[in-house]
Amino acid sequence: GARFVHMIYCFARCVMIECMKRLSIGAHIHFVEAVMWKPKDTYIAKARHRVAYNKLLQILQREDFVIQEYRGK
C-alpha cells in the first residue's frame, strides 16, 4: 500500500545519499549538502517530493502489472 511505497521511497533516498557521500569524498563535490539542503520555499519542495513520489508509485504499479500479465500467460 501507500505506507510501503513511502518506506521504499525513503530507503531509496537514503541509499542515494550514502552512495553520493562515498563518491564525493575528497573530490570537493558538494552533492550531499545540496540533497540535504532545506529550501526556503517549502511549497516547491513539497511539490517536487510529490512528483517524485508519484513517479515511483507509477513505476511500481507498472512493474506489478507486467508481473501479473506474465503470470496470467
Side-chain angles (χ1 to χ4, degrees):
R3 290 178 64 191
F4 177 74
V5 171
H6 180 70
M7 183 188 70
I8 295 297
Y9 174 79
C10 291
F11 176 71
R13 185 175 186 270
C14 213
V15 169
M16 178 191 69
I17 290 170
E18 289 301 316
C19 287
M20 288 170 53
K21 282 181 184 178
R22 273 190 259 130
L23 292 174
S24 66
I25 291 175
H28 303 292
I29 300 171
H30 303 287
F31 291 126
V32 178
E33 289 83 5
V35 170
M36 299 304 290
W37 176 69
K38 302 257 183 197
K40 294 177 184 175
D41 188 2
T42 58
Y43 175 76
I44 292 175
K46 288 180 182 178
R48 287 180 179 164
H49 174 267
R50 179 58 51 194
V51 168
Y53 183 80
N54 287 338
K55 186 66 175 175
L56 177 64
L57 182 61
Q58 288 174 357
I59 290 168
L60 292 174
Q61 287 174 338
R62 189 177 315 132
E63 181 180 340
D64 184 54
F65 176 75
V66 169
I67 290 170
Q68 294 298 326
E69 285 291 314
Y70 280 131
R71 285 184 183 163
K73 292 180 180 180

